[in-house]
Amino acid sequence: MDLRDYLRVLSRRWRAIALLTLLGAGVGVLTPHTATPEYQASTEIFVSVREGADTLRLAQGNVFTQARVQSYAEVAASPLVTRHVVRTLRLDMTPTQLSHRISATTQPDTVLIRLTVTDTRPGRAARISDAVADRFAEVVRGLERPDDAETSPVRLTVTQPASVPSAPSSPRPAVNLAIGVMAGLVLGAGLAVARESMDRSVRSLQALTELLAGFGGPPVLGSIAHDPRAGRHPVAVRDDMHGLRAEGFRRLRTSLRFVDVDQPPKVIAVTSPLPREGKTSVAINLAAALAETGSSVCLVDADLRRPSTARTLGLVRDAGLTTVLIGQAEVHQVLQSAGSFSMLTSGSVPPNPTELLGSAQLRAVLRTLAEKFDHVVVDTAPVLPVADASVIASAVDGYLLVVRASRTSRDQVGATLRTLEHVGAPVLGTVLNMASSKEEGGAYGYAYEYRPQRQTTSRFSRRRGGKRVPSVGSAPTLPTPGGEPNVQAADTEEALDGKPRSMTAERSPQR
């Protein structure tokens, strides 16, 4: 993944990142209130040599001490120092515990040693630091004194005694808060990238295109934006003629016309790898989009296990496809009107749906409908759970595969294509359903704002006989494909200043 992909992952997982960041900040804020305060007291020691009256000897002594101070620093926490300090100050700790609280540091090219003691009491920290410095000087002098000499050539002088600290060295609220925030951000970003790496679902149109290109599979014919109102308004062209979903189905309709210009598909089966991926919604809206051009369209509910088109459109389900297949009615007797297109519901749910769908009667029914209508859209069962969608391969011109964004996995898409290929079923293309506008960049933002502008009512409109008479240039009320009046067109009753105004569009800044 490149930088843009990582930024897209972070923006998509921002809730988890924000939650972990807040959690880290909370831990950073609470830590000072739960941790025991600790204080640090430091003593500084200067190391020198006693001998050397001339400049040469002084320089040699300086080089000697610089070479030795690092070794001296290691002695500060040794048992030779800690045992004496614990016994002298009568501390309630062992020499080993005291050694863990002592740190000795040196600066390069200097002869200074800084001894730092950490303790839970500020006064005791200062006393221990001074006692460690005194005992440390004695131990070093004893180590450096030759056996036949009474004094040591090395001299250690305390240049800065320890002072009682006024504030604790830890915990530090600001530092803990910064560490908590940074840890939360890093953990959240790492978790987001890890989840993205393990996520096998198809999330975007680009991902679906690359996946199908790897399989050598069918083309991607379009994507349908996710709309939370789709459950209440199943037919997009009736709910909002210029909305995202309606435009998406119009693009899908246009793409289907270019799949095979020599032999355009007439009977199209709509299916998906698994249930709850929106195949029925795509079938209904595809039928409505095809009917929008003036073509005669019939939608057939061939999902004989979980039929839902009749309930979605408010039609009668009891008499339908199964009624015709068992010879109790003719096709024209059970056809129902769904507004701009005709509907053949599923009928009663049979005990043997696969056998009925693979029968010669079904092929005869679809041929009859193909002769009567310009387009026939067949809503079938999902491919992977059952064989119902596969057995009608010989009765349809091709399949439209519905892939649900962020739900259908790559493996499921591949398994579905292999299953349909095994039975010789042509797949016309795929459509990404319930796609997020964020995943597709700015395309959906442009489509959302590219709407006909409503015209306001002119003050020159007049009433005759109690009825409003539109001024010149006003738009008439147009029926929708469902037979209902177009509310948006009805609002454009009169143009400003009595002059006709053309339909304009606002250009999105994301274009």
Side-chain angles (χ1 to χ4, degrees):
M1 295 191 298
D2 56 11
L3 179 60
R4 183 177 301 178
D5 294 329
Y6 282 111
L7 294 178
R8 188 180 295 111
V9 170
L10 296 180
S11 64
R12 184 164 56 243
R13 308 282 186 179
W14 69 270
R15 291 182 178 85
I17 297 175
L19 179 61
L20 289 175
T21 302
L22 291 176
L23 182 61
V27 172
V29 171
L30 293 178
T31 298
H33 300 284
T34 57
T36 302
E38 292 184 339
Y39 300 84
Q40 287 185 343
S42 299
T43 303
E44 193 170 88
I45 299 177
F46 180 83
V47 182
S48 61
V49 293
R50 295 178 182 274
E51 299 178 356
D54 54 23
T55 305
L56 178 60
R57 290 183 176 273
L58 288 174
Q60 292 176 345
N62 187 53
V63 173
F64 171 80
T65 53
Q66 288 183 7
R68 304 282 275 187
V69 289
Q70 187 63 40
S71 300
Y72 295 159
E74 300 296 330
V75 179
S78 65
L80 294 175
V81 177
T82 57
R83 280 199 298 263
H84 178 80
V85 173
V86 170
R87 184 172 60 254
T88 302
L89 298 181
R90 297 180 180 181
L91 300 176
D92 55 348
M93 65 182 73
T94 64
T96 303
Q97 292 174 338
L98 177 61
S99 65
H100 294 158
R101 300 188 180 192
I102 300 174
S103 64
T105 58
T106 61
Q107 297 181 1
D109 301 329
T110 66
V111 292
L112 296 175
I113 300 176
R114 176 176 289 272
L115 301 177
T116 303
V117 175
T118 303
D119 195 76
T120 56
R121 302 176 187 176
R124 189 170 68 175
R127 291 196 305 271
I128 294 176
S129 182
D130 289 337
V132 168
D134 295 339
R135 178 59 181 172
F136 170 69
E138 294 178 4
V139 171
V140 171
R141 285 194 296 266
L143 293 175
E144 293 290 358
R145 185 177 64 245
D147 294 338
D148 57 349
E150 295 182 357
T151 61
S152 173
V154 178
R155 179 170 55 189
L156 286 82
T157 307
V158 176
T159 59
Q160 182 178 343
S163 59
V164 179
S166 58
S169 60
S170 68
R172 290 176 289 180
V175 175
N176 291 338
L177 177 60
I179 293 176
V181 171
M182 291 301 299
L185 282 173
V186 172
L187 183 60
L191 180 62
V193 174
R195 289 189 61 185
E196 186 71 18
S197 301
M198 295 183 294
D199 188 2
R200 297 288 298 167
S201 64
V202 180
R203 305 192 65 92
S204 64
L205 194 65
Q206 179 181 358
L208 180 59
T209 303
E210 295 174 354
L211 175 64
L212 295 177
F215 287 143
V220 179
L221 301 181
S223 61
I224 308 301
H226 174 67
D227 188 354
R229 303 174 302 166
R232 300 188 304 270
H233 306 284
V235 184
V237 296
R238 297 179 191 172
D239 172 40
D240 188 357
M241 290 187 63
H242 304 284
L244 296 182
R245 293 181 69 236
E247 295 297 335
F249 286 113
R250 292 189 183 102
R251 288 193 296 268
L252 175 61
R253 175 192 66 196
T254 303
S255 299
L256 281 172
R257 290 181 174 177
F258 290 95
V259 169
D260 190 348
V261 294
D262 295 329
Q263 294 180 349
K266 194 169 187 179
V267 181
I268 303 173
V270 180
T271 187
S272 62
L274 294 175
R276 304 183 64 83
E277 294 182 337
K279 63 176 182 59
T280 299
S281 174
V282 172
I284 293 175
N285 284 276
L286 176 59
L290 291 171
E292 198 176 30
T293 62
S295 303
S296 59
V297 182
C298 180
L299 174 62
V300 180
D301 190 351
D303 188 350
L304 302 185
R305 296 178 186 266
R306 295 181 182 178
S308 58
T309 53
R311 182 181 66 254
T312 302
L313 298 175
L315 303 177
V316 178
R317 195 199 73 179
D318 296 337
L321 179 60
T322 56
T323 310
V324 177
L325 293 180
I326 62 177
Q328 291 186 351
E330 298 294 332
V331 175
H332 67 276
Q333 295 176 333
V334 293
L335 285 177
Q336 301 180 56
S337 174
S340 59
F341 58 91
S342 299
M343 175 74 206
L344 179 61
T345 59
S346 63
S348 301
V349 176
N352 56 342
T354 305
E355 288 73 15
L356 284 179
L357 293 174
S359 63
Q361 289 89 332
L362 177 71
R363 293 192 291 270
V365 169
L366 293 182
R367 281 198 303 269
T368 302
L369 293 175
E371 295 173 357
K372 180 178 178 61
F373 295 93
D374 297 327
H375 301 282
V376 178
V377 180
V378 183
D379 179 25
T380 68
V383 175
L384 296 182
V386 293
D388 296 7
S390 304
V391 297
I392 67 171
S394 60
V396 299
D397 296 330
Y399 287 81
L400 175 64
L401 181 61
V402 178
V403 176
R404 180 171 175 177
S406 303
R407 179 172 180 138
T408 308
S409 70
R410 300 169 182 265
D411 298 333
Q412 292 166 356
V413 174
T416 302
L417 293 176
R418 287 191 295 270
T419 301
L420 295 177
E421 182 182 3
H422 182 70
V423 298
V427 180
L428 304 175
T430 61
V431 57
L432 185 66
N433 193 29
M434 302 185 188
S436 171
S437 58
K438 294 181 180 180
E439 295 292 339
E440 307 305 332
Y444 284 131
Y446 178 84
Y448 182 79
E449 295 184 359
Y450 204 79
R451 293 170 174 266
Q453 184 179 9
R454 292 188 177 184
Q455 297 176 351
T456 58
T457 304
S458 171
R459 65 179 181 272
F460 296 107
S461 62
R462 56 190 182 277
R463 295 179 179 272
R464 294 181 179 176
K467 297 183 179 180
R468 175 172 292 185
V469 179
S471 61
V472 178
S474 62
T477 301
L478 300 176
T480 64
E484 300 175 357
N486 187 346
V487 178
Q488 292 182 348
D491 288 342
T492 60
E493 291 184 330
E494 295 178 349
L496 292 174
D497 301 329
K499 298 179 181 179
R501 295 182 61 186
S502 61
M503 303 297 285
T504 61
E506 297 180 0
R507 189 179 300 271
S508 168
Q510 299 180 356
R511 185 176 182 182

